[in-house]
Amino acid sequence: MNKPVLLVTRRLPAAVEARAASSYDARLNPGDTPRSAADLLRLAEGADALLCCPADRLDAATIAALPAGLRVLATFSVGTDHIDLDAARARRLPVVNTPDVLSVATAELSFLLILAAARRAGEGERLVRAGHWTGWCPTQLMGTLVSGKRLGIFGMGRIGRELARMAAAFGMQVHYRNQSRLPPELECGAVWHDNDAAFLAACEVLSLNAPGGAATRKWLNADRIALLPRGAVVANAARGTLVDDDALIAALRSGHVRCAGLDVYDGEPALHPGYRALENVVLLPHLGSATLETRDAMGHLALDGIDAVLAGETPDNLVRAERRQPEQEAG
Ligand code: DGY
């Protein structure tokens, strides 16, 4: 019997590709060439399943033009903002993603951004690499402690909750902003805010961990930044679209925001040129889930979802419309 055809848009970890090739007639991308919508549609001809990544754009027109025989769309990500879910629903195309398995890695990355920004790790690294470091001195590159400070988490989904757990070890008091309050066993002592003003006023450190999409677009704008305490630290490991870049850059220049750590950008891999000119911002290339263990687990979970849909089952990682709440996350 012929194996179902699976189109994989980008190169995946070796173990994941090996499984895909053994279970499917897999169309892989060994050169890891980014696929345009036209390439993707051409390559998807005759496919039963499609495994895409956050760097692919599955907009309404592309989804409508996918082959009629396509039975499942999987994404190698928890975030689904690159997929027009309404268009997928309209053609009854199930979508599966990779929740849970990347929560710890992405929370670690959020914490790395917070620490790297607060302790000026980027500036220090640039100094040493440039050969300009002349030795220890009492006033060089003084940052700010995060231990004992108030951490505000915008989007207390699985990643946000992992971050809160890590922050507890630093003696940080966690505040969070969600549409609804979490039950006590998930809240673990964190303080819920039902409005932005009270939440932002509490944030000595602000971490963005909410999904992208229309509901959160440019959420961190000039008005909200003004509500942060002067000297706040900002980290974004969620989606670049959550931030109004002009407003954040102005606040980083004025010192109202002391420093920021960013892993994601609106329109990435392009980023606002203003960031590159600033010393007080740490810039990473969307590494939130980039650990060997995590990327293997993401690939296997995506394949589990594809296997289940093709077997006529409903996988746990099926993306449901009602799950797209601000507390769900993108990493
Ligand atoms: C996700 O899963 O949404 C991430 O951004 C990919 O690392």
Side-chain angles (χ1 to χ4, degrees):
M1 204 177 93
N2 286 346
K3 291 179 186 172
V5 175
L6 167 64
L7 173 65
V8 180
T9 62
R10 298 298 293 267
R11 186 170 64 222
L12 298 180
V16 178
E17 291 201 340
R19 173 174 159 189
S22 103
S23 307
Y24 293 97
D25 175 359
R27 297 177 184 166
L28 302 175
N29 182 355
D32 203 25
T33 313
R35 304 297 192 198
S36 67
D39 290 340
L40 200 142
L41 291 174
R42 181 175 46 77
L43 293 164
E45 229 16 81
D48 299 281
L50 170 55
L51 175 46
C52 71
C53 292
D56 300 309
R57 287 284 149 251
L58 277 296
D59 59 14
T62 306
I63 288 185
L66 284 167
L70 191 80
R71 289 186 277 156
V72 55
L73 171 59
T75 180
F76 190 83
S77 62
V78 65
T80 53
D81 51 312
H82 55 297
I83 299 173
D84 190 316
L85 293 177
D86 292 334
R89 204 167 304 118
R91 59 168 289 175
R92 297 176 185 278
L93 180 63
V95 177
V96 297
N97 68 343
T98 63
D100 297 313
V101 293
L102 46 61
S103 302
V104 171
T106 309
E108 275 189 1
L109 200 283
S110 295
F111 219 89
L112 171 68
L113 292 171
I114 293 166
L115 285 172
R119 299 302 304 274
R120 306 179 65 174
E123 289 166 87
E125 226 251 352
R126 287 192 287 280
L127 184 79
V128 174
R129 277 190 189 276
H132 295 158
W133 185 43
T134 53
W136 190 89
C137 60
T139 55
Q140 189 170 49
L141 290 180
M142 293 183 294
T144 186
L145 285 175
V146 302
S147 292
K149 298 244 165 95
R150 291 186 305 270
L151 167 66
I153 299 177
F154 177 66
M156 191 75 146
R158 289 160 290 219
I159 296 169
R161 296 198 297 272
E162 285 296 339
L163 177 61
R165 188 179 59 76
M166 294 172 191
F170 281 72
M172 299 182 90
Q173 186 192 46
V174 177
H175 293 246
Y176 71 99
R177 177 88 175 95
N178 255 13
Q179 282 203 329
S180 51
R181 187 170 179 177
L182 295 173
E185 67 277 13
L186 294 183
E187 195 172 64
C188 293
V191 181
W192 175 63
H193 293 273
D194 66 359
N195 68 88
D196 289 338
F199 169 67
L200 288 162
C203 295
E204 291 174 287
V205 179
L206 169 65
S207 178
L208 304 180
N209 297 98
T216 55
R217 184 154 184 83
K218 294 193 193 292
W219 179 82
L220 191 63
N221 58 18
D223 290 345
R224 291 195 176 90
I225 288 173
L227 297 169
L228 289 167
R230 186 171 175 81
V233 177
V234 171
N236 185 8
R239 285 291 181 265
T241 51
L242 269 71
V243 174
D244 178 332
D245 292 319
D246 286 323
L248 182 57
I249 287 166
L252 283 161
R253 283 195 187 125
S254 74
H256 184 73
V257 170
R258 173 193 291 273
C259 54
L262 307 177
D263 187 44
V264 286
Y265 309 91
D266 192 3
E268 64 184 51
L271 64 150
H272 192 302
Y275 287 126
R276 286 205 187 87
L278 290 171
E279 286 291 343
N280 55 344
V281 59
V282 173
L283 303 171
L284 296 183
H286 203 150
L287 296 179
S289 62
T291 74
L292 295 168
E293 304 89 332
T294 308
R295 292 280 164 89
D296 273 354
M298 290 166 69
H300 287 299
L301 182 56
L303 290 177
D304 290 346
I306 295 171
D307 293 350
V309 174
L310 294 188
E313 294 157 13
T314 303
D316 289 344
N317 56 332
L318 184 72
V319 176
R320 298 173 200 278
E322 63 272 21
R323 286 172 58 191
R324 300 298 303 157
Q325 301 296 327
E327 53 267 36
Q328 205 195 331
E329 65 275 282

